[in-house]
Amino acid sequence: MYQSAEASWAIETHGLSKAYGSVRVLDGLDLRVRRGSVFALLGPNGAGKTTTVRILATLTGADAGRATVAGHDVVAARSRVRRAISLTGQYAALDEEQTGRENLRMMARLRGHSRAAARRRAAELLARFALAEAGDRRVSAYSGGMRRRLDIAAGLVGDPEVVFLDEPTTGLDPRSRRTMWETVGSLTQAGVTVFLTTQYLEEADQLADQVAVLDDGRVIAQGTPEELKKTVTAQRLDLTMAGQQAYTELAGRLGGRVLHRVPEELVLGVATDGSAARIRALLDELDPGREHIARFALHSATLDDVFLELTHE
């Protein structure tokens, strides 16, 4: 029974700590990632997300604690971990003077494939990532989204068990980002475990089976996106103010009750249970003269709300 439970985890960390000089980046990090799932690690800049990925990918060592990836210790079995993983960062690591097909064939040859097997693998991956038509074009002519897809494809040449995606859609336009989401979804369908760091909360909401929020080097919340949303509030009432003065005054009165704010659109969001009675009571409380609130909209809580609440941003 114990071995069966252990085998269900693709990644486990226990008490990981890391400091750079006097700055503690990770402080006793504990994580568990189930095999074949998408796990999203969220946190403000400097929270330790990239450091976590670098430790798990054996690119840097922890000061304390231990971690296993695909069942292998990241220190004692570093070479086995590296054979079992793929790492894609924020910027595509490709040879821009080669074609997409040549990049994939080169990676396959470096993985030990024969020439014929490398050609077959390159063709398979180009088709899988909708790059077949662009396969014989130089990578320098690819769009940002195409490069990112090719970069992930290159990492899959060796059929990794675990794929690390460190902010993979940073800088992509919305259409390319959604194409990348479809790509990530196809990975888990093939049984691959995806460990994702992202600065886009919507991305984690769309993709992740489990989400962990990292702050000051510690996990401060973990669960499914829906579970985390319930820790903040079930609903959010967004109020569009009639003018800048009304926006400023209400924002000051609400203080810490504001869950969401968009100053350029004069919008303030507050918690509510979604019932008609509570919404009427809120409107009467916040704008008894019915002069300052121009309109309102009811929303389900988002991971943005969770993130802002938990990290106090």
Side-chain angles (χ1 to χ4, degrees), residues 14-35:
H14 302 281
L16 280 190
S17 297
K18 180 69 176 179
Y20 293 100
S22 60
V23 179
R24 183 171 291 278
V25 181
L26 295 180
D27 187 13
L29 182 68
D30 294 324
L31 291 175
R32 274 183 168 181
V33 179
R34 194 170 295 280
R35 291 183 185 273

Side-chain angles (χ1 to χ4, degrees), residues 1-284:
M1 292 293 292
Y2 175 76
Q3 288 182 340
S4 175
E6 187 179 58
S8 66
W9 304 111
I11 298 171
E12 285 189 89
T13 74
H14 302 281
L16 280 190
S17 297
K18 180 69 176 179
Y20 293 100
S22 60
V23 179
R24 183 171 291 278
V25 181
L26 295 180
D27 187 13
L29 182 68
D30 294 324
L31 291 175
R32 274 183 168 181
V33 179
R34 194 170 295 280
R35 291 183 185 273
S37 68
V38 178
F39 183 92
L41 188 62
L42 307 179
N45 290 334
K49 301 187 300 297
T50 296
T51 298
T52 300
V53 170
R54 289 181 60 82
I55 291 172
L56 295 175
T58 75
L59 297 178
T60 191
D63 297 333
R66 63 183 297 268
T68 60
V69 176
H72 308 298
D73 188 279
V74 297
V75 176
R78 181 179 300 178
S79 61
R80 290 187 178 183
V81 171
R82 290 184 174 182
R83 285 196 294 270
I85 69 171
S86 167
L87 171 61
T88 298
Q90 297 178 31
Y91 306 101
L94 301 165
D95 185 340
E96 297 198 352
E97 295 306 309
Q98 293 193 93
T99 66
R101 192 181 308 277
E102 288 168 343
N103 268 277
L104 294 181
R105 285 166 57 185
M106 176 183 67
M107 292 302 299
R109 291 288 285 158
L110 290 172
R111 282 281 187 171
H113 288 58
S114 67
R115 290 183 185 277
R119 286 195 298 270
R120 287 195 299 271
R121 188 63 175 147
E124 290 169 4
L125 290 168
L126 288 171
R128 178 175 174 182
F129 287 89
L131 292 168
E133 292 185 5
D136 295 315
R137 285 161 44 191
R138 286 189 178 183
V139 173
S140 58
Y142 281 21
S143 68
M146 292 168 66
R147 292 185 192 199
R148 208 64 57 83
R149 297 207 308 276
L150 182 64
D151 199 21
I152 293 178
L156 295 179
V157 164
D159 290 318
E161 296 179 50
V162 179
V163 173
F164 292 100
L165 301 178
D166 191 14
E167 300 193 9
T169 61
T170 297
L172 296 186
D173 61 77
R175 179 170 299 187
S176 296
R177 189 174 302 135
R178 289 191 176 274
T179 301
M180 280 293 299
W181 293 355
E182 294 171 3
T183 300
V184 172
S186 72
L187 295 179
T188 57
Q189 291 172 12
V192 176
T193 303
V194 178
F195 188 102
L196 171 76
T197 72
T198 180
Q199 59 180 316
Y200 299 111
L201 282 299
E202 182 189 7
E203 186 162 271
D205 207 352
Q206 288 279 339
L207 295 175
D209 301 299
Q210 287 279 315
V211 174
V213 181
L214 192 65
D215 197 24
D216 290 330
R218 288 180 174 271
V219 172
I220 55 175
Q222 185 170 340
T224 67
E226 290 306 314
E227 287 170 345
L228 291 181
K229 290 173 195 176
K230 289 177 182 177
T231 66
V232 177
T233 179
Q235 302 284 331
R236 190 185 78 217
L237 187 67
D238 282 356
L239 309 170
T240 301
M241 308 309 294
Q244 183 62 54
Q245 183 176 350
Y247 174 87
T248 303
E249 289 179 358
L250 185 58
R253 280 200 287 129
L254 286 170
R257 292 171 65 188
V258 177
L259 293 176
H260 175 72
R261 64 181 77 214
V262 187
E264 61 273 19
E265 297 178 11
L266 304 179
V267 172
L268 295 168
V270 294
T272 176
D273 62 8
S275 67
R278 179 57 181 155
I279 291 172
R280 281 195 294 266
L282 270 172
L283 294 174
D284 288 341

